[in-house]
């Protein structure tokens, strides 16, 4: 799930992207740093997520990286995997187009991610729409439950 394994197998280990180049993160995952799990526990599995939850996540998440190197790409990827209905991974592949369409500067960090990205999303009519409840629309409900994380796919641009 952390996007670290590249063993040459046919299994898509990097389904949520590759974190192979994030050496410090790789080390923290391999050593099972409890701060990463503790930080993720600040985000509820169900129900509303608020800025206080996010700020507590960031506070604890940073403890796993006392020397830094814990950018928004890593944090937002983990958040999007836990709550794809609230968070989108923000990385170099989607940042230019996403920030352009949101009308915000590309300099987004851990401290500005909630206000610049998430608060705008959860304030939108699109995000506030009702969940499809018709059992015949199972795929629509699944997509609705991951609607924020899907923003990554909309704005993702391949490196040339």
């Amino acid at each position: 799930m952390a996007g670290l394994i590249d063993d040459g197998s046919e299994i898509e280990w990097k389904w949520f992207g590759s974190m192979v180049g994030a050496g410090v993160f790789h080390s923290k995952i391999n050593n099972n740093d409890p701060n990463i799990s503790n930080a993720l526990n600040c985000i509820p599995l169900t129900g509303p997520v608020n800025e206080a939850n996010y700020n507590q996540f960031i506070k604890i998440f940073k403890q796993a990286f006392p020397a830094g190197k814990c950018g928004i790409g890593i944090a937002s990827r983990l958040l999007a995997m836990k709550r794809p209905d609230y968070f989108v991974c923000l990385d170099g592949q989607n940042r230019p187009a996403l920030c352009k369409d949101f009308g915000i500067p590309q300099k987004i960090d851990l401290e500005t991610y909630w206000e610049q990205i998430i608060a705008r999303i959860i304030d939108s009519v699109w995000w506030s729409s009702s969940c499809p409840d018709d059992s015949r629309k199972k795929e629509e409900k699944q997509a609705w439950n991951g609607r924020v994380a899907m923003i990554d796919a909309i704005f993702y641009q391949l490196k040339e």
Side-chain angles (χ1 to χ4, degrees):
M1 292 300 288
L4 299 172
I5 297 175
D6 190 4
D7 63 359
S9 71
E10 292 184 27
I11 298 173
E12 275 296 334
W13 294 105
K14 295 181 271 186
W15 187 255
F16 295 100
S18 174
M19 297 301 290
V20 173
V24 174
F25 175 66
H26 196 156
S27 171
K28 298 296 179 177
I29 293 296
N30 283 342
N31 293 323
N32 199 24
D33 189 309
N35 290 307
I36 294 173
S37 293
N38 291 341
L40 284 168
N41 286 339
C42 295
I43 305 299
L45 277 172
T46 60
V49 177
N50 59 43
E51 189 174 7
N53 299 131
Y54 174 77
N55 288 337
Q56 189 63 23
F57 164 84
I58 292 303
K59 179 181 175 185
I60 297 171
F61 184 74
K62 284 182 172 182
Q63 293 173 11
F65 302 90
K69 301 195 182 211
C70 61
I72 192 62
I74 294 168
S76 63
R77 181 175 312 279
L78 294 172
L79 289 165
M81 286 191 299
K82 180 156 187 182
R83 288 299 300 268
D85 57 330
Y86 269 86
F87 296 101
V88 58
C89 175
L90 184 66
D91 59 26
Q93 303 304 116
N94 66 15
R95 183 187 302 252
L98 189 151
C99 290
K100 179 182 176 199
D101 279 11
F102 275 49
I104 57 175
Q106 287 191 37
K107 189 177 186 323
I108 306 287
D109 58 22
L110 295 170
E111 285 70 29
T112 60
Y113 174 78
W114 181 273
E115 179 184 335
Q116 293 292 320
I117 304 289
I118 305 307
R120 290 171 187 247
I121 290 171
I122 62 178
D123 192 38
S124 71
V125 172
W126 166 80
W127 187 85
S128 301
S129 67
S130 297
C131 178
D133 58 4
D134 188 336
S135 62
R136 294 173 292 161
K137 298 179 182 179
K138 181 179 177 184
E139 292 83 12
E140 288 181 27
K141 186 172 182 176
Q142 288 174 326
W144 188 87
N145 286 331
R147 65 197 181 281
V148 178
M150 281 192 326
I151 292 172
D152 182 23
I154 294 167
F155 290 104
Y156 188 89
Q157 297 175 342
L158 286 174
K159 288 183 183 178
E160 296 183 19

